[in-house]
Amino acid sequence: MTNEQKEEVEVMSKHDFYFETPLYEVITLDGLENTTFHGDVDAYSVKNSSDTTYSISMEEIDCWDDWNDTRTSKVRAGFYLISLSCKRKNNEVLRFVIFKNRVIVMKIGQYPSLADLQFAELGKKYDKVLPAEDLKNLKKAIGLVSHGAGAGSFVYLRRIFENLIFETYTNNVTGMKVSEADFKKQRMMDKVETIKAFLPSQLVEMKGVYSILSKGAHELTEEECLRYFAPIKLSIELILDQKTEVAKKVQKDAMVKKQLQQIQQEIATSKEDEN
């Protein structure tokens, strides 16, 4: 592989490998971050209900020498146990079993499960900005994809994404030039274009995802659904993160307004007492 070809390989971060990737998904070693199997990784701790840093360690379970075609070099291939230990509290260890050779790697087991790792974080981050039914559907989608059920998981993600897009439209309808009836008829890409001023800029740039959403899960293969799960989930999180920031700003504005009113009242009362 040439240097130019290597640059074209999309590299998966170590965080995405451990906390976003389902079991049995085959990943090329060239497509992984160089420090995936050592060093540290930042992530949310379910046990401690807070963000933390994990140290990564790897040990062999059952491995053998894997020679190249010319038998001039070898690597250790086989099954490995990877442990992620919480560095802040020293009270949590996550475990992953992987298969790795000189070309590919895949997770074949983990504890806690992918769904367990993500459920608590989702509830903590989004229970105030995502309706209970959509939060339940998001957890269902993650549970399904963690077991390799791409089509089933995609149905739930698509439903949540459509709800959020329509909610964004209705919350800003006074500034729209498209009627609700016409908006509902638009393809997903066109809907995003219509309301792009009210969406995260990163999401607007993810146009390839919307063409898949427009097709619908019934037109996609199981493999396509699994492949598009991560970017669609990310697009949902981008909208929710923006909603969270807006909610925090509203809360902060209300708090400042209340405090200023109290100060003004105290000043007015003080002047009355002086008189």
Side-chain angles (χ1 to χ4, degrees):
M1 181 179 292
T2 66
N3 289 334
E4 291 183 356
Q5 288 174 317
K6 287 182 179 179
E7 291 178 358
E8 293 175 359
V9 175
E10 185 176 350
V11 176
M12 176 185 292
S13 70
K14 62 174 75 175
H15 176 277
D16 285 355
F17 177 73
Y18 293 116
F19 296 95
E20 298 289 343
T21 306
L23 300 182
Y24 307 114
E25 181 172 329
V26 178
I27 304 164
T28 63
L29 284 179
D30 287 338
L32 274 181
E33 189 176 345
N34 290 335
T35 58
T36 296
F37 306 123
H38 60 85
D40 297 334
V41 59
D42 295 328
Y44 181 79
S45 167
V46 175
K47 184 178 181 66
N48 298 309
S49 299
S50 63
D51 293 329
T52 191
T53 299
Y54 293 95
S55 61
I56 305 170
S57 62
M58 183 169 73
E59 58 184 287
E60 294 185 357
I61 298 176
D62 181 18
C63 297
W64 53 89
D65 291 337
D66 183 19
W67 292 89
N68 64 5
D69 293 338
T70 59
R71 294 192 66 80
T72 56
S73 66
K74 65 180 179 180
V75 298
R76 294 291 286 170
F79 302 94
Y80 294 83
L81 172 65
I82 296 179
S83 300
L84 271 56
S85 303
C86 176
K87 298 179 69 174
R88 295 186 181 176
K89 299 286 188 177
N90 295 318
N91 64 347
E92 180 184 31
V93 180
L94 313 180
R95 293 179 172 83
F96 303 82
V97 178
I98 68 165
F99 170 79
K100 180 175 76 72
N101 60 22
R102 65 172 52 253
V103 179
I104 62 100
V105 61
M106 65 178 171
K107 293 194 298 183
I108 60 173
Q110 69 176 78
Y111 181 82
S113 70
L114 180 67
D116 288 339
L117 290 177
Q118 294 189 1
F119 283 179
E121 183 177 12
L122 287 172
K124 175 179 177 289
K125 291 176 67 177
Y126 302 132
D127 61 345
K128 298 292 191 299
V129 294
L130 190 64
E133 187 63 25
D134 280 342
L135 184 59
K136 184 189 299 183
N137 286 338
L138 186 53
K139 291 180 177 180
K140 286 179 181 178
I142 292 170
L144 286 168
V145 81
S146 68
H147 291 89
S153 65
F154 197 89
V155 170
Y156 289 111
L157 280 194
R158 186 172 185 269
R159 187 180 304 163
I160 297 166
F161 187 87
E162 289 176 337
N163 289 344
L164 287 171
I165 292 298
F166 186 70
E167 179 188 35
T168 302
Y169 173 85
T170 55
N171 288 345
N172 301 278
V173 67
T174 54
M176 299 294 175
K177 297 180 180 179
V178 178
S179 69
E180 180 176 321
D182 289 338
F183 182 77
K184 287 181 176 180
K185 295 176 183 177
Q186 289 181 334
R187 297 178 308 160
M188 186 58 69
M189 288 183 68
D190 297 328
K191 288 180 179 178
V192 171
E193 183 67 23
T194 297
I195 61 173
K196 67 180 181 180
F198 308 99
L199 294 172
S201 58
Q202 309 100 305
L203 187 148
V204 176
E205 295 171 3
M206 297 167 62
K207 293 184 178 179
V209 175
Y210 313 132
S211 62
I212 299 299
L213 278 168
S214 296
K215 288 183 178 180
H218 62 282
E219 297 182 36
L220 305 174
T221 66
E222 196 76 27
E223 291 72 21
E224 285 175 324
C225 290
L226 288 172
R227 189 164 67 249
Y228 278 91
F229 182 89
I232 294 172
K233 177 172 172 284
L234 174 60
S235 68
I236 290 171
E237 291 177 349
L238 286 171
I239 297 175
L240 296 177
D241 289 342
Q242 179 170 281
K243 289 182 67 176
T244 300
E245 289 303 312
V246 170
K248 286 181 180 178
K249 185 178 183 300
V250 170
Q251 184 180 23
K252 187 178 292 185
D253 288 345
M255 180 182 67
V256 171
K257 183 178 180 180
K258 181 179 180 181
Q259 290 175 343
L260 289 175
Q261 288 175 339
Q262 289 174 343
I263 292 171
Q264 290 172 340
Q265 186 175 358
E266 289 175 6
I267 293 173
T269 302
S270 177
K271 286 183 178 180
E272 290 176 358
D273 292 342
E274 290 176 0
N275 295 332

